[in-house]
Amino acid sequence: MSEGTKDTIEPSAQETPKGPSKNELKKRAKEEEKARKAAERSAKEAEAAKAKAGEEDAADFAKQYYGKLPLNQSQERPKRTRDTIASLSEKLGQNVLLRARIQTSRAQGNKMVFLHLRQKIDTVQGLLVAEDGKISRPMVKWTAGLPDESIVLVEGIVEKPKEEIKSTTVKDVEVHINQIHLINSPEVRLPFTLDDASRAESENAEKQLNNVLLETRLNNRVLDLRTTTNQAVFKLQASITDFFREFLTSTGFTEIHTPKLQGAATESGASVFKVSYFKGSAFLAQSPQLAKQMAIASDFERVYEIGPVFRAEDSNTHRHLTEFIGLDLEMTIEEHYHEAMELLDQLFLSIFRNLKEKCQKEIDTVGRQFPAEEFKWREGPEGTLKLTFAQAVDLLVEDGVDRSVLDDINTENEKRLGRVVKKKYDTDYFIVDKFPMALRPFYTMPDPSDPKSSNSYDFFMRGEEILSGAQRVHEPQLLAQQMKDKGIDPESMKGYMDGFRLGCPPHGGGGIGLERVLMLYLKLNNIRRATLFPRDPKRLEP
């Protein structure tokens, strides 16, 4: 062996690894035999079950009356008339066909299953009972196994139940099902049940039932919106916009649509969303205020808009959103800004009356989950309660508030004022006029006899502001001066200013928050419950 090399071990000198012992081999053989027999047994059981299922299927005389429908790709259109749950009380004894969701199901043995069927805000009980030659046990079993929130096509006879059904909105009839087919069903486990999401919080606490938190609801909004309560809430929201539009159209207003991308902030830079705009920047509209006024300068006389409003305010409260729907209007005035204030008052009274007269079913539906005192307003010759800002301050001082903190009425004192007004005047709806000029935007007209006061007003529901409005400045020199006083360069808003330089009539108007009106009318206690998909400083999804 040459110098520097290491000794190596010859292969023949390495130890030969030992194989398994005889006992280990016997043990392995037993385990393999056991596994083989278990596999054979499982295969036989599966084959037997398959054969039994095949026999049951062959003997299932009702198999054409239930099952999953093929994927709807608009293959055919037989034009069969569909019925609604809401109309079933008028169809006693008739055969009906309806598409609905299964909110819950409850089997009794293998011969009967109850279904809680739902369409929007209406629910009805469905009953499927095994019957020789008509309804098979496999049909009952299959139906009982359908997941909650499955969409089904149901055919059956409308019958009178033995006693009134308390758990559904349709209480005097039920559907005796003779055919049921699955259209679609959830692929994931539901984060909560619709029953849990539909109960009043007081009932959950009293009976120690599951309470679905608002955050959980908003994170799973598609499911949450299916509750009958939410279906009613957003039917009412649509009705408010309908009533708003109908009243204004009937009083000579024209609906307009203004841009939501603007070249300058309309109120203050701190509360505006800045977005990139090609090589420059733009701002999301905080209101259609400037465009409304430009339309008045264009001789539209009376205009309104229903559209999104954006506010970059980091306010995480029960009543603030970063995006909401604004109901805005502007009108020329002939003599006095109270013409606009009084028209707005008549608008609200019209909305309140229509809600009460035409939407009681939806209001009652919401009230079952969110019980509240009925919303009150004043009718008759006395009309709506109107206070000046000074009178409102006096009422708060009489109630124990220190006058020194009432240069502005904050949220807490707004609610307090609402309670004082309700106790003294028995109304949930009132107007406060003549706000201090320092609290209002640059385009607000000053009071002619007191420059520290303004021709402006706020409307309140249950002690919370739902409209802010005023007479606007239509004279360009005064407008430019007030802009400078607020730190705004008039030339930065040249397009707006030019409308006034061309001559503009006296005018006024107001802006209303749709979701806030809905929240306060129903007393939902959080504006997110009155918003389809809320946007706030902490939420951009879903």
Side-chain angles (χ1 to χ4, degrees), residues 412-424:
E412 181 183 348
N413 284 327
E414 276 186 5
K415 291 183 177 180
R416 188 165 184 164
L417 179 62
R419 292 192 294 270
V420 170
V421 166
K422 182 66 181 289
K423 184 177 180 180
K424 187 170 184 176

Side-chain angles (χ1 to χ4, degrees), residues 465-526:
E465 176 238 316
I466 44 90
L467 174 145
S468 186
Q471 180 181 359
R472 323 300 188 183
V473 176
H474 60 280
E475 201 278 324
Q477 283 75 33
L478 178 58
L479 183 60
Q481 183 57 52
Q482 292 196 174
M483 292 174 79
K484 291 175 184 176
D485 292 345
K486 294 284 188 179
I488 300 170
D489 179 7
E491 289 308 305
S492 70
M493 303 174 69
K494 186 175 182 300
Y496 171 68
M497 289 296 299
D498 284 347
F500 298 97
R501 290 168 181 146
L502 291 168
C504 180
H507 60 283
I512 305 163
L514 170 62
E515 294 87 349
R516 199 175 284 190
V517 171
L518 182 63
M519 171 188 74
L520 293 168
Y521 188 88
L522 298 172
K523 206 172 182 182
L524 298 177
N525 302 321
N526 194 305

Side-chain angles (χ1 to χ4, degrees), residues 45-60 63 66 138 141:
E45 288 173 355
E47 189 175 338
K50 186 177 179 181
K52 184 179 180 181
E55 289 173 6
E56 288 180 351
D57 186 58
D60 186 1
K63 59 183 177 181
Y66 71 97
K141 181 181 178 181

Side-chain angles (χ1 to χ4, degrees), residues 75 81 123 153 157 161 190 198 208 251 262 321 334 401 422 428 443 451 468 480 490 495-496 500 504 506 522 528:
Q75 298 95 321
T81 300
T123 57
L153 187 64
I157 306 295
L190 300 180
S198 300
Q208 296 185 330
T251 50
Q262 298 184 334
L321 296 169
E334 301 299 335
V401 181
K422 182 66 181 289
D428 291 307
Y443 45 75
S468 186
Y496 171 68
F500 298 97
C504 180
L522 298 172
R528 291 155 189 80

Side-chain angles (χ1 to χ4, degrees), residues 47-103:
E47 189 175 338
K50 186 177 179 181
K52 184 179 180 181
E55 289 173 6
E56 288 180 351
D57 186 58
D60 186 1
F61 50 82
K63 59 183 177 181
Q64 71 270 32
Y65 300 137
Y66 71 97
K68 191 173 190 320
L69 291 173
L71 176 67
N72 185 330
Q73 295 180 287
S74 301
Q75 298 95 321
E76 58 182 2
R77 192 180 181 191
K79 295 188 177 181
R80 296 185 67 192
T81 300
R82 258 61 165 185
D83 296 283
T84 62
I85 289 175
S87 68
L88 294 183
S89 295
E90 302 167 2
K91 299 187 176 181
L92 189 63
Q94 296 181 33
N95 192 72
V96 294
L97 176 69
L98 55 91
R99 174 180 49 81
R101 282 196 187 267
I102 298 175
Q103 181 159 316

